[in-house]
Amino acid sequence: MKLIYTFIKIIILLFFLLLAVINTDAVTFSYLPGQKVDLPLIVVLFGAFVVGIVFGMFALFGRLLSLRGENSRLRAEVKKSARLTGKELTAPPAQNAPESAKQP
């Protein structure tokens, strides 16, 4: 299965590489009022992609910090509870599958 996913990824990469090679026409990019530069289309598209990634990471950064804080708080709470009861922390036993799901 891993080989199939790798093959699909290579095909997609080659497709985008082909698009990049084909789209080398120059387009005018205006970055400030009155300031223009001619760049290949693939450079403009790649730049927009990178800017989108950066903004997406900044948008998720606050949520990541709050989840890490909550995780730390819950871990400390579990350790405190375990100390009060004097039990070792262990993983719960695996639950058995229902009888209807078992196959002969």
Side-chain angles (χ1 to χ4, degrees):
M1 202 60 166
K2 188 176 180 181
L3 183 65
I4 294 171
Y5 286 134
T6 304
F7 183 70
I8 291 172
K9 288 177 185 178
I10 290 172
I11 289 175
I12 292 172
L13 177 68
L14 290 175
F15 175 74
F16 283 118
L17 186 63
L18 179 67
L19 282 176
V21 171
I22 291 172
N23 289 310
T24 56
D25 296 338
V27 294
T28 303
F29 179 71
S30 302
Y31 56 94
L32 289 174
Q35 302 294 320
K36 297 179 183 179
V37 64
D38 289 333
L39 296 171
L41 178 60
I42 192 63
V43 172
V44 175
L45 290 176
F46 184 71
F49 178 72
V50 169
V51 168
I53 289 173
V54 169
F55 280 126
M57 290 176 68
F58 280 132
L60 292 175
F61 189 67
R63 179 73 176 147
L64 175 70
L65 289 179
S66 68
L67 287 175
R68 281 189 179 181
E70 183 178 356
N71 189 11
S72 298
R73 182 185 59 79
L74 290 174
R75 284 181 184 268
E77 187 177 318
V78 167
K79 285 182 183 180
K80 180 180 176 185
S81 175
R83 273 193 311 243
L84 292 177
T85 60
K87 295 182 181 178
E88 284 292 318
L89 294 177
T90 58
Q95 295 179 352
N96 292 333
E99 292 297 322
S100 62
K102 290 183 180 178
Q103 295 180 359

PDB file of all heavy atoms in Angstrom, residues 25-32 34-41 44:
ATOM      1  N   ASP A  25       5.420  31.747 -19.181  1.00  0.00           N
ATOM      2  CA  ASP A  25       5.106  33.071 -19.723  1.00  0.00           C
ATOM      3  C   ASP A  25       5.199  34.123 -18.625  1.00  0.00           C
ATOM      4  O   ASP A  25       4.831  33.880 -17.478  1.00  0.00           O
ATOM      5  CB  ASP A  25       3.698  33.089 -20.322  1.00  0.00           C
ATOM      6  CG  ASP A  25       3.575  32.161 -21.525  1.00  0.00           C
ATOM      7  OD1 ASP A  25       4.609  31.861 -22.129  1.00  0.00           O
ATOM      8  OD2 ASP A  25       2.452  31.738 -21.818  1.00  0.00           O
ATOM      9  N   ALA A  26       5.669  35.305 -18.987  1.00  0.00           N
ATOM     10  CA  ALA A  26       5.812  36.390 -18.018  1.00  0.00           C
ATOM     11  C   ALA A  26       4.467  37.066 -17.776  1.00  0.00           C
ATOM     12  O   ALA A  26       3.685  37.273 -18.702  1.00  0.00           O
ATOM     13  CB  ALA A  26       6.819  37.414 -18.516  1.00  0.00           C
ATOM     14  N   VAL A  27       4.213  37.339 -16.507  1.00  0.00           N
ATOM     15  CA  VAL A  27       3.007  38.095 -16.125  1.00  0.00           C
ATOM     16  C   VAL A  27       3.470  39.299 -15.324  1.00  0.00           C
ATOM     17  O   VAL A  27       4.518  39.290 -14.684  1.00  0.00           O
ATOM     18  CB  VAL A  27       2.022  37.240 -15.297  1.00  0.00           C
ATOM     19  CG1 VAL A  27       1.441  36.117 -16.119  1.00  0.00           C
ATOM     20  CG2 VAL A  27       2.665  36.705 -14.046  1.00  0.00           C
ATOM     21  N   THR A  28       2.666  40.337 -15.359  1.00  0.00           N
ATOM     22  CA  THR A  28       2.991  41.545 -14.602  1.00  0.00           C
ATOM     23  C   THR A  28       2.437  41.403 -13.189  1.00  0.00           C
ATOM     24  O   THR A  28       1.253  41.177 -12.990  1.00  0.00           O
ATOM     25  CB  THR A  28       2.392  42.784 -15.278  1.00  0.00           C
ATOM     26  OG1 THR A  28       2.893  42.851 -16.612  1.00  0.00           O
ATOM     27  CG2 THR A  28       2.759  44.048 -14.538  1.00  0.00           C
ATOM     28  N   PHE A  29       3.324  41.526 -12.213  1.00  0.00           N
ATOM     29  CA  PHE A  29       2.942  41.421 -10.806  1.00  0.00           C
ATOM     30  C   PHE A  29       3.100  42.787 -10.166  1.00  0.00           C
ATOM     31  O   PHE A  29       4.187  43.356 -10.153  1.00  0.00           O
ATOM     32  CB  PHE A  29       3.823  40.386 -10.102  1.00  0.00           C
ATOM     33  CG  PHE A  29       3.513  40.232  -8.642  1.00  0.00           C
ATOM     34  CD1 PHE A  29       2.344  39.619  -8.226  1.00  0.00           C
ATOM     35  CD2 PHE A  29       4.395  40.688  -7.684  1.00  0.00           C
ATOM     36  CE1 PHE A  29       2.056  39.472  -6.885  1.00  0.00           C
ATOM     37  CE2 PHE A  29       4.126  40.559  -6.346  1.00  0.00           C
ATOM     38  CZ  PHE A  29       2.956  39.936  -5.940  1.00  0.00           C
ATOM     39  N   SER A  30       1.993  43.338  -9.636  1.00  0.00           N
ATOM     40  CA  SER A  30       2.018  44.648  -8.973  1.00  0.00           C
ATOM     41  C   SER A  30       2.062  44.428  -7.466  1.00  0.00           C
ATOM     42  O   SER A  30       1.095  43.965  -6.871  1.00  0.00           O
ATOM     43  CB  SER A  30       0.780  45.453  -9.346  1.00  0.00           C
ATOM     44  OG  SER A  30       0.703  45.617 -10.737  1.00  0.00           O
ATOM     45  N   TYR A  31       3.178  44.722  -6.830  1.00  0.00           N
ATOM     46  CA  TYR A  31       3.317  44.501  -5.402  1.00  0.00           C
ATOM     47  C   TYR A  31       3.091  45.768  -4.580  1.00  0.00           C
ATOM     48  O   TYR A  31       2.777  45.699  -3.409  1.00  0.00           O
ATOM     49  CB  TYR A  31       4.664  43.853  -5.065  1.00  0.00           C
ATOM     50  CG  TYR A  31       5.864  44.613  -5.545  1.00  0.00           C
ATOM     51  CD1 TYR A  31       6.519  45.507  -4.722  1.00  0.00           C
ATOM     52  CD2 TYR A  31       6.363  44.410  -6.825  1.00  0.00           C
ATOM     53  CE1 TYR A  31       7.619  46.194  -5.162  1.00  0.00           C
ATOM     54  CE2 TYR A  31       7.468  45.080  -7.273  1.00  0.00           C
ATOM     55  CZ  TYR A  31       8.095  45.972  -6.444  1.00  0.00           C
ATOM     56  OH  TYR A  31       9.196  46.647  -6.886  1.00  0.00           O
ATOM     57  N   LEU A  32       3.247  46.942  -5.152  1.00  0.00           N
ATOM     58  CA  LEU A  32       2.920  48.222  -4.527  1.00  0.00           C
ATOM     59  C   LEU A  32       2.287  49.089  -5.603  1.00  0.00           C
ATOM     60  O   LEU A  32       2.513  48.870  -6.793  1.00  0.00           O
ATOM     61  CB  LEU A  32       4.181  48.910  -3.991  1.00  0.00           C
ATOM     62  CG  LEU A  32       4.855  48.306  -2.763  1.00  0.00           C
ATOM     63  CD1 LEU A  32       6.153  49.034  -2.471  1.00  0.00           C
ATOM     64  CD2 LEU A  32       3.949  48.356  -1.559  1.00  0.00           C
ATOM     65  N   GLY A  34       1.980  51.433  -8.341  1.00  0.00           N
ATOM     66  CA  GLY A  34       2.978  51.999  -9.233  1.00  0.00           C
ATOM     67  C   GLY A  34       4.233  51.165  -9.381  1.00  0.00           C
ATOM     68  O   GLY A  34       5.100  51.510 -10.164  1.00  0.00           O
ATOM     69  N   GLN A  35       4.363  50.089  -8.615  1.00  0.00           N
ATOM     70  CA  GLN A  35       5.537  49.226  -8.690  1.00  0.00           C
ATOM     71  C   GLN A  35       5.133  47.911  -9.344  1.00  0.00           C
ATOM     72  O   GLN A  35       4.294  47.186  -8.826  1.00  0.00           O
ATOM     73  CB  GLN A  35       6.099  48.951  -7.291  1.00  0.00           C
ATOM     74  CG  GLN A  35       6.493  50.187  -6.530  1.00  0.00           C
ATOM     75  CD  GLN A  35       7.670  50.894  -7.171  1.00  0.00           C
ATOM     76  OE1 GLN A  35       8.606  50.256  -7.641  1.00  0.00           O
ATOM     77  NE2 GLN A  35       7.627  52.212  -7.203  1.00  0.00           N
ATOM     78  N   LYS A  36       5.731  47.601 -10.469  1.00  0.00           N
ATOM     79  CA  LYS A  36       5.403  46.391 -11.198  1.00  0.00           C
ATOM     80  C   LYS A  36       6.679  45.656 -11.564  1.00  0.00           C
ATOM     81  O   LYS A  36       7.726  46.261 -11.754  1.00  0.00           O
ATOM     82  CB  LYS A  36       4.624  46.723 -12.472  1.00  0.00           C
ATOM     83  CG  LYS A  36       3.294  47.373 -12.217  1.00  0.00           C
ATOM     84  CD  LYS A  36       2.589  47.704 -13.509  1.00  0.00           C
ATOM     85  CE  LYS A  36       1.287  48.419 -13.189  1.00  0.00           C
ATOM     86  NZ  LYS A  36       0.560  48.785 -14.392  1.00  0.00           N
ATOM     87  N   VAL A  37       6.548  44.349 -11.669  1.00  0.00           N
ATOM     88  CA  VAL A  37       7.669  43.520 -12.095  1.00  0.00           C
ATOM     89  C   VAL A  37       7.105  42.379 -12.944  1.00  0.00           C
ATOM     90  O   VAL A  37       6.016  41.890 -12.684  1.00  0.00           O
ATOM     91  CB  VAL A  37       8.473  42.992 -10.886  1.00  0.00           C
ATOM     92  CG1 VAL A  37       7.664  42.077 -10.023  1.00  0.00           C
ATOM     93  CG2 VAL A  37       9.756  42.330 -11.315  1.00  0.00           C
ATOM     94  N   ASP A  38       7.836  41.996 -13.973  1.00  0.00           N
ATOM     95  CA  ASP A  38       7.433  40.876 -14.818  1.00  0.00           C
ATOM     96  C   ASP A  38       8.107  39.608 -14.297  1.00  0.00           C
ATOM     97  O   ASP A  38       9.338  39.539 -14.198  1.00  0.00           O
ATOM     98  CB  ASP A  38       7.840  41.120 -16.270  1.00  0.00           C
ATOM     99  CG  ASP A  38       6.995  42.204 -16.921  1.00  0.00           C
ATOM    100  OD1 ASP A  38       5.843  42.382 -16.492  1.00  0.00           O
ATOM    101  OD2 ASP A  38       7.494  42.866 -17.854  1.00  0.00           O
ATOM    102  N   LEU A  39       7.273  38.615 -13.940  1.00  0.00           N
ATOM    103  CA  LEU A  39       7.762  37.345 -13.416  1.00  0.00           C
ATOM    104  C   LEU A  39       7.107  36.195 -14.169  1.00  0.00           C
ATOM    105  O   LEU A  39       6.000  36.341 -14.680  1.00  0.00           O
ATOM    106  CB  LEU A  39       7.410  37.208 -11.932  1.00  0.00           C
ATOM    107  CG  LEU A  39       8.041  38.195 -10.967  1.00  0.00           C
ATOM    108  CD1 LEU A  39       7.419  38.063  -9.593  1.00  0.00           C
ATOM    109  CD2 LEU A  39       9.531  37.936 -10.891  1.00  0.00           C
ATOM    110  N   PRO A  40       7.749  35.043 -14.203  1.00  0.00           N
ATOM    111  CA  PRO A  40       7.081  33.868 -14.778  1.00  0.00           C
ATOM    112  C   PRO A  40       5.848  33.500 -13.938  1.00  0.00           C
ATOM    113  O   PRO A  40       5.841  33.671 -12.713  1.00  0.00           O
ATOM    114  CB  PRO A  40       8.139  32.770 -14.704  1.00  0.00           C
ATOM    115  CG  PRO A  40       9.434  33.478 -14.565  1.00  0.00           C
ATOM    116  CD  PRO A  40       9.133  34.762 -13.863  1.00  0.00           C
ATOM    117  N   LEU A  41       4.829  32.990 -14.593  1.00  0.00           N
ATOM    118  CA  LEU A  41       3.578  32.661 -13.910  1.00  0.00           C
ATOM    119  C   LEU A  41       3.798  31.671 -12.782  1.00  0.00           C
ATOM    120  O   LEU A  41       3.211  31.814 -11.703  1.00  0.00           O
ATOM    121  CB  LEU A  41       2.579  32.094 -14.918  1.00  0.00           C
ATOM    122  CG  LEU A  41       1.224  31.653 -14.373  1.00  0.00           C
ATOM    123  CD1 LEU A  41       0.509  32.822 -13.727  1.00  0.00           C
ATOM    124  CD2 LEU A  41       0.387  31.043 -15.470  1.00  0.00           C
ATOM    125  N   VAL A  44       4.901  33.385  -9.560  1.00  0.00           N
ATOM    126  CA  VAL A  44       3.804  34.087  -8.883  1.00  0.00           C
ATOM    127  C   VAL A  44       2.901  33.080  -8.166  1.00  0.00           C
ATOM    128  O   VAL A  44       2.515  33.287  -7.016  1.00  0.00           O
ATOM    129  CB  VAL A  44       2.995  34.936  -9.895  1.00  0.00           C
ATOM    130  CG1 VAL A  44       1.786  35.560  -9.239  1.00  0.00           C
ATOM    131  CG2 VAL A  44       3.885  35.995 -10.513  1.00  0.00           C
TER     132      VAL A  44
END
